[in-house]
């Protein structure tokens, strides 16, 4: 199945299935206060606000976690119940435009065994451009559920397991190349990357309109790792999900996420740091 939906398909879905749950995941990595402000400034009519910091993430623990640790299973289940998620209710997820936060929500739903969610390709910008209905009035969940999630922990990997990667595994860093190289670091206390990682800037999954490239182009991008078990990370476990989604769109097996990512890796000074470019950036 496709995990993307375009604006035309969404319009048809809303006409056919008015019970569709729409999750607005607009946010900004560098400013935790922006999520609600962006939602209040305009969202798809009927969409409920999702906070990337408090709902798509768990509490930050100093010197232990990264900037966006996974929510606990109980926390995530309670959130999904509050939203009214079921195993078969249609779910549409979007953010401003490039789907980085939407991909995080999509991955969390897949982690919980909810597989029917789709990401709106091009996000709110695409919806506005298509003439879709926009609202500035808050919307609340129309129902709750008693959903019991089935968490797939096989989709994640812990930091210690990355210290002994085999040649058969591929580790992809979703951050921009200058951050991977350690030339700049706007968010974290150390610069560089996990040794052995190949740079795979998530933004290269998109065209100039912030829509995902066609599946065949995404397959070509990730061709060199297509036959390997792939592990994805980024700064804090957000844009890594974008690469996982892109590879899934390309028809590849779902990659593994290192949820803590770089911001967790560096809390332990014994973990090695690299700055040289390794392999060929994807």
């Amino acid at each position: 199945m496709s995990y993307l939906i375009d604006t035309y398909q969404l319009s048809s879905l809303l006409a056919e299935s008015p019970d569709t749950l729409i999750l607005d995941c607009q946010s900004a990595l560098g400013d935790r206060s922006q999520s609600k402000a962006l939602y209040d400034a305009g969202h798809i009519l009927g969409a409920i606000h999702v906070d990337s910091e408090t709902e798509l993430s768990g509490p930050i623990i100093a010197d232990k976690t990264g900037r966006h640790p996974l929510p606990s299973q109980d926390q995530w289940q309670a959130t999904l119940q509050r939203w009214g998620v079921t195993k078969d209710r249609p779910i549409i997820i979007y953010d401003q435009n490039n789907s980085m936060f939407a991909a995080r929500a999509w991955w969390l739903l897949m982690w919980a065994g909810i597989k029917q969610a789709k990401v709106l390709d091009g996000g709110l910008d695409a919806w506005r451009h298509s003439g879709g209905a926009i609202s500035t009035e808050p919307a609340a969940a129309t129902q709750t559920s008693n959903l019991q999630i089935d968490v797939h922990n096989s989709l994640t990997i812990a930091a210690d397991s990355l210290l002994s990667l085999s040649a058969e595994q591929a580790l992809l860093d979703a951050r921009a190349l200058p951050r991977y190289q350690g030339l700049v670091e706007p968010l974290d206390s150390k610069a560089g990357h996990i040794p052995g990682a190949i740079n795979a800037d998530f933004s290269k999954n998109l065209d100039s309109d912030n829509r995902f490239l066609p599946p065949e182009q995404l397959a070509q991008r990730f061709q060199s790792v297509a036959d390997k078990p792939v592990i994805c990370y980024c700064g804090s476990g957000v844009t890594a999900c974008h690469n996982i989604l892109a590879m899934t769109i390309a028809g590849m097996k779902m990659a593994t996420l290192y949820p803590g990512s770089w911001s967790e890796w560096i809390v332990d000074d014994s973990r090695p740091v690299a700055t040289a470019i390794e392999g060929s950036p994807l």
Side-chain angles (χ1 to χ4, degrees):
M1 65 173 290
S2 173
Y3 291 112
L4 293 180
I5 189 169
D6 62 30
T7 55
Y8 175 80
Q9 292 168 326
L10 178 54
S11 295
S12 299
L13 175 65
L14 295 178
E16 297 166 3
S17 303
D19 186 45
T20 297
L21 176 62
I22 310 176
L23 303 178
D24 181 299
C25 298
Q26 295 182 81
S27 192
L29 276 179
D31 187 345
R32 294 170 180 268
S33 68
Q34 284 299 299
S35 181
K36 185 62 163 58
L38 289 165
Y39 175 83
D40 289 342
H43 51 267
I44 294 176
L45 181 65
I48 63 173
H49 171 244
V50 173
D51 190 290
S52 63
E53 305 296 330
T54 62
E55 294 178 304
L56 301 184
S57 305
I60 295 172
I61 302 174
D63 300 322
K64 183 176 181 180
T65 71
R67 288 181 280 105
H68 292 101
L70 293 184
S72 70
Q73 295 182 20
D74 287 345
Q75 176 192 346
W76 187 229
Q77 178 171 278
T79 297
L80 297 182
Q81 290 175 343
R82 189 174 69 251
W83 290 343
V85 172
T86 68
K87 290 291 181 74
D88 53 10
R89 186 182 183 189
I91 304 170
I92 303 300
I93 318 164
Y94 73 91
D95 56 31
Q96 302 95 296
N97 45 41
N98 67 10
S99 300
M100 61 187 289
F101 298 102
R104 166 77 170 203
W106 168 83
W107 185 90
L108 282 166
L109 286 162
M110 293 288 285
W111 178 60
I114 308 300
K115 300 180 179 180
Q116 75 275 13
K118 294 179 182 289
V119 171
L120 176 61
D121 204 12
L124 185 63
D125 286 353
W127 183 251
R128 287 183 189 274
H129 185 73
S130 72
I134 300 291
S135 175
T136 56
E137 295 299 319
T142 58
Q143 62 188 66
T144 59
S145 75
N146 58 1
L147 175 75
Q148 300 297 301
I149 64 175
D150 179 20
V151 168
H152 296 273
N153 283 322
S154 61
L155 297 179
T156 65
I157 191 169
D160 289 347
S161 298
L162 300 181
L163 294 170
S164 56
L165 287 175
S166 70
E168 288 72 37
Q169 295 172 296
L171 180 62
L172 302 186
D173 185 319
R175 298 171 301 163
L177 185 60
R179 287 187 71 194
Y180 166 90
Q181 291 180 271
L183 300 178
V184 296
E185 184 45 68
L187 298 172
D188 294 310
S189 61
K190 292 182 184 179
H193 62 266
I194 299 173
I198 298 170
N199 183 243
D201 182 346
F202 85 97
S203 68
K204 294 183 179 180
N205 296 325
L206 305 169
D207 64 17
S208 58
D209 293 320
N210 281 314
R211 291 177 172 85
F212 279 88
L213 298 173
E216 58 273 16
Q217 290 187 36
L218 291 172
Q220 183 176 16
R221 182 189 184 197
F222 294 104
Q223 183 178 15
S224 63
V225 298
D227 296 328
K228 297 183 177 183
V230 178
I231 300 163
C232 294
Y233 81 94
C234 55
S236 62
V238 176
T239 58
C241 297
H242 201 281
N243 276 347
I244 294 174
L245 175 56
M247 286 185 278
T248 305
I249 293 167
M252 295 172 59
K253 180 181 177 181
M254 191 162 175
T256 300
L257 175 69
Y258 169 35
S261 287
W262 181 248
S263 56
E264 179 190 83
W265 182 261
I266 59 175
V267 300
D268 184 339
D269 288 334
S270 70
R271 293 175 185 149
V273 170
T275 54
I277 295 177
E278 303 184 57
S280 299
L282 303 185

